[in-house]
Amino acid sequence: HIPTAASREFSDYQSARGFIQKHPYPLVVKADGLAAGKGVYICHKQAEAEQALVDIFRANKFGEAGSKIIIEDFLKGEEASLLVLSDSKTYVPLASAQDHKAIFDGDKGPNTGGMGAYSPAPVITDEMMEKIDRKIWRPLFQGLKQEGIEYRGVLYAGLMIRDNEPMVLEFNVRFGDPEAQAILPRLRNDLSVVIEAVIAGNLDQINLDWSPEPTVCVVMASGGYPDVYDKGMLISGLEDIDDPGVTVFHAGTKIENGKTVTNGGRVLGVSAGGTNIQESVEKAYRAVEKINFPGKQYRKDIGQKALKRTE
């Protein structure tokens, strides 16, 4: 009974096509397996849903991950991400974050693995945290216990906050990317000590200590991502990042002939902390502007939703 979108499963093109011809729009088509964060299609009209089915079933775009799909209702609202640590007896939520899945500003264009994040997410108030605990975390861990599953590690919940109610978009059994790059820099505890407590079953002895300063992470991606993109582009400017409040996380890079070059779709995650969200945004983008590689692309609006809420 965890709140989520109504959905149906399909394993073949024809039955799925029959369904989308009758279902109201918008709707969401998802490949049921791992697809590097790109197996989700938000379809505003039937032609877009038809193309999604062709990509998955006919063109085999996601291989085995697309052998089954889910078609579900579209949830409108504001996204948020919450991570929780569990040692199978105790669970402890981490600080909130908001991811930005679409490739372009204003949440436009195809979905990606995430183009940036900030923490905390103002949409997750203390009241909302209590509601999420009551409606999602508690029944989830109770259900795992009833099924005899001892879950130890981190669990990620992608949420949509609609009409002041939390709805689950997805669960992941890992830290979120780029949410972790915004959340973990705010953690004052030694992360290795926290992880040891999860492994040993002593999480009830840990009190997480969070910096009140918000962190913003801006993802720098290769030109063409999330579709076809080039690799091996020379990255310059990394040595110019001298602000102690800025951390550059390497994602899709490698060293070639002593030089750092691009080696993936999402290349770098540039994280910055400041006394408020405005300062964090400005720091992150100042650093992003110093780093260059041919075809670089990034969203210019990471943190804007938080700024509007705080205003």
Side-chain angles (χ1 to χ4, degrees):
H1 304 296
I2 292 172
T4 188
S7 65
R8 290 270 303 275
E9 291 183 359
F10 297 92
S11 299
D12 68 280
Y13 174 82
Q14 287 300 340
S15 56
R17 187 168 182 267
F19 182 77
I20 65 167
Q21 289 173 337
K22 300 170 187 172
H23 194 284
Y25 286 81
L27 57 75
V28 182
V29 178
K30 293 181 176 180
D32 193 44
L34 290 173
K38 293 178 279 190
V40 178
Y41 294 78
I42 297 170
C43 307
H44 295 277
K45 50 191 178 183
Q46 188 177 322
E48 293 173 351
E50 295 260 12
Q51 186 59 54
L53 297 186
V54 169
D55 285 354
I56 297 170
F57 285 126
R58 296 279 171 86
N60 202 28
K61 186 172 181 180
F62 304 109
E64 185 62 27
S67 59
K68 184 169 71 175
I69 66 165
I70 296 166
I71 300 178
E72 65 182 26
D73 290 348
F74 174 78
L75 296 179
K76 189 172 174 60
E78 189 167 347
E79 278 196 63
S81 303
L82 272 181
L83 287 74
V84 67
L85 294 171
S86 168
D87 65 359
S88 81
K89 297 176 292 185
T90 304
Y91 65 89
V92 177
L94 303 186
S96 64
Q98 186 173 91
D99 187 14
H100 299 66
K101 289 286 188 194
I103 185 69
F104 301 128
D105 290 6
D107 297 326
K108 306 291 188 201
N111 268 11
T112 70
M115 290 300 292
Y118 56 80
S119 175
V123 69
I124 304 293
T125 60
D126 290 343
E127 177 193 8
M128 182 58 66
M129 280 290 267
E130 191 282 325
K131 195 177 282 190
I132 291 165
D133 184 68
R134 176 166 41 88
K135 294 190 172 187
I136 297 169
W137 294 134
R138 243 181 276 171
L140 174 68
F141 283 104
Q142 186 179 350
L144 290 173
K145 191 174 182 180
Q146 286 171 351
E147 293 187 20
I149 296 171
E150 288 193 10
Y151 189 86
R152 299 191 189 200
V154 62
L155 191 67
Y156 165 111
L159 306 173
M160 184 67 76
I161 311 301
R162 184 178 71 170
D163 300 327
N164 206 36
E165 289 294 326
M167 306 279 283
V168 175
L169 293 173
E170 62 173 348
F171 287 116
N172 285 321
V173 290
R174 56 170 172 77
F175 281 106
D177 171 17
E179 290 94 334
Q181 292 94 302
I183 294 169
L184 294 181
R186 298 184 55 225
L187 182 65
R188 287 169 166 165
N189 304 66
D190 183 331
L191 180 61
S192 65
V193 173
V194 176
I195 289 171
E196 288 285 357
V198 168
I199 294 167
N202 299 325
L203 194 55
D204 59 343
Q205 298 174 22
I206 299 288
N207 290 311
L208 298 183
D209 182 18
W210 297 99
S211 166
E213 294 193 346
T215 299
V216 171
C217 176
V218 179
V219 169
M220 300 182 69
S222 296
Y225 176 80
D227 294 314
V228 180
Y229 54 85
D230 292 324
K231 296 181 181 180
M233 302 292 109
L234 181 65
I235 302 171
S236 62
L238 291 170
E239 64 284 353
D240 298 327
I241 308 303
D242 52 9
D243 188 328
V246 174
T247 304
V248 180
F249 292 96
H250 287 242
T253 67
K254 70 174 181 178
I255 303 295
E256 200 170 73
N257 299 322
K259 306 284 187 181
T260 306
V261 300
T262 67
N263 193 43
R266 291 185 298 160
V267 178
L268 300 166
V270 181
S271 294
T275 54
N276 54 49
I277 193 75
Q278 179 71 50
E279 185 180 318
S280 301
V281 167
E282 289 172 359
K283 270 190 183 182
Y285 279 107
R286 274 201 302 271
V288 165
E289 285 166 11
K290 291 179 180 179
I291 302 169
N292 288 291
F293 52 87
K296 77 170 182 178
Q297 61 170 329
Y298 58 92
R299 282 184 55 159
K300 318 294 190 298
D301 63 347
I302 306 299
Q304 292 307 307
K305 289 177 188 172
L307 282 171
K308 283 176 185 170
R309 281 192 171 270
T310 52
E311 283 167 9

